[in-house]
PDB file of all heavy atoms in Angstrom:
ATOM      1  N   ASN A 355    -109.567-110.893  31.127  1.00  0.00           N
ATOM      2  CA  ASN A 355    -108.505-111.564  31.900  1.00  0.00           C
ATOM      3  C   ASN A 355    -108.396-111.067  33.341  1.00  0.00           C
ATOM      4  O   ASN A 355    -107.607-111.601  34.117  1.00  0.00           O
ATOM      5  CB  ASN A 355    -107.156-111.367  31.200  1.00  0.00           C
ATOM      6  CG  ASN A 355    -107.118-112.045  29.847  1.00  0.00           C
ATOM      7  OD1 ASN A 355    -107.758-113.069  29.631  1.00  0.00           O
ATOM      8  ND2 ASN A 355    -106.359-111.475  28.917  1.00  0.00           N
ATOM      9  N   HIS A 356    -109.186-110.049  33.674  1.00  0.00           N
ATOM     10  CA  HIS A 356    -109.103-109.484  35.026  1.00  0.00           C
ATOM     11  C   HIS A 356    -110.088-110.178  35.969  1.00  0.00           C
ATOM     12  O   HIS A 356    -111.300-110.098  35.804  1.00  0.00           O
ATOM     13  CB  HIS A 356    -109.410-107.983  34.986  1.00  0.00           C
ATOM     14  CG  HIS A 356    -109.402-107.332  36.327  1.00  0.00           C
ATOM     15  ND1 HIS A 356    -108.257-107.178  37.074  1.00  0.00           N
ATOM     16  CD2 HIS A 356    -110.410-106.789  37.065  1.00  0.00           C
ATOM     17  CE1 HIS A 356    -108.562-106.573  38.211  1.00  0.00           C
ATOM     18  NE2 HIS A 356    -109.861-106.325  38.230  1.00  0.00           N
ATOM     19  N   THR A 357    -109.557-110.869  36.972  1.00  0.00           N
ATOM     20  CA  THR A 357    -110.406-111.596  37.929  1.00  0.00           C
ATOM     21  C   THR A 357    -110.120-111.219  39.387  1.00  0.00           C
ATOM     22  O   THR A 357    -110.768-111.732  40.298  1.00  0.00           O
ATOM     23  CB  THR A 357    -110.208-113.112  37.766  1.00  0.00           C
ATOM     24  OG1 THR A 357    -108.811-113.416  37.918  1.00  0.00           O
ATOM     25  CG2 THR A 357    -110.688-113.589  36.401  1.00  0.00           C
ATOM     26  N   GLU A 358    -109.158-110.352  39.592  1.00  0.00           N
ATOM     27  CA  GLU A 358    -108.759-109.979  40.956  1.00  0.00           C
ATOM     28  C   GLU A 358    -109.801-109.083  41.620  1.00  0.00           C
ATOM     29  O   GLU A 358    -110.259-108.103  41.035  1.00  0.00           O
ATOM     30  CB  GLU A 358    -107.407-109.257  40.933  1.00  0.00           C
ATOM     31  CG  GLU A 358    -106.255-110.142  40.482  1.00  0.00           C
ATOM     32  CD  GLU A 358    -104.954-109.371  40.424  1.00  0.00           C
ATOM     33  OE1 GLU A 358    -104.565-108.844  41.482  1.00  0.00           O
ATOM     34  OE2 GLU A 358    -104.348-109.297  39.346  1.00  0.00           O
ATOM     35  N   LYS A 359    -110.135-109.444  42.868  1.00  0.00           N
ATOM     36  CA  LYS A 359    -111.076-108.632  43.648  1.00  0.00           C
ATOM     37  C   LYS A 359    -110.322-107.519  44.373  1.00  0.00           C
ATOM     38  O   LYS A 359    -109.100-107.522  44.435  1.00  0.00           O
ATOM     39  CB  LYS A 359    -111.835-109.517  44.633  1.00  0.00           C
ATOM     40  CG  LYS A 359    -112.752-110.520  43.925  1.00  0.00           C
ATOM     41  CD  LYS A 359    -113.382-111.471  44.902  1.00  0.00           C
ATOM     42  CE  LYS A 359    -114.243-112.510  44.170  1.00  0.00           C
ATOM     43  NZ  LYS A 359    -114.831-113.498  45.091  1.00  0.00           N
ATOM     44  N   LYS A 360    -111.090-106.565  44.918  1.00  0.00           N
ATOM     45  CA  LYS A 360    -110.523-105.413  45.632  1.00  0.00           C
ATOM     46  C   LYS A 360    -109.594-104.575  44.749  1.00  0.00           C
ATOM     47  O   LYS A 360    -108.628-103.976  45.230  1.00  0.00           O
ATOM     48  CB  LYS A 360    -109.773-105.871  46.881  1.00  0.00           C
ATOM     49  CG  LYS A 360    -110.659-106.556  47.914  1.00  0.00           C
ATOM     50  CD  LYS A 360    -109.864-107.190  49.025  1.00  0.00           C
ATOM     51  CE  LYS A 360    -109.179-106.164  49.879  1.00  0.00           C
ATOM     52  NZ  LYS A 360    -108.490-106.763  51.048  1.00  0.00           N
ATOM     53  N   SER A 361    -109.862-104.603  43.448  1.00  0.00           N
ATOM     54  CA  SER A 361    -109.023-103.839  42.520  1.00  0.00           C
ATOM     55  C   SER A 361    -109.815-103.448  41.273  1.00  0.00           C
ATOM     56  O   SER A 361    -110.901-103.971  41.041  1.00  0.00           O
ATOM     57  CB  SER A 361    -107.803-104.666  42.113  1.00  0.00           C
ATOM     58  OG  SER A 361    -108.213-105.781  41.339  1.00  0.00           O
ATOM     59  N   VAL A 362    -109.234-102.546  40.489  1.00  0.00           N
ATOM     60  CA  VAL A 362    -109.835-102.153  39.200  1.00  0.00           C
ATOM     61  C   VAL A 362    -108.722-102.067  38.156  1.00  0.00           C
ATOM     62  O   VAL A 362    -107.550-101.891  38.494  1.00  0.00           O
ATOM     63  CB  VAL A 362    -110.572-100.790  39.294  1.00  0.00           C
ATOM     64  CG1 VAL A 362    -111.767-100.879  40.214  1.00  0.00           C
ATOM     65  CG2 VAL A 362    -109.630 -99.675  39.738  1.00  0.00           C
TER      66      VAL A 362
END
Side-chain angles (χ1 to χ4, degrees):
N355 295 329
H356 178 68
T357 56
E358 294 178 59
K359 294 174 183 177
K360 297 171 67 175
S361 67
V362 295

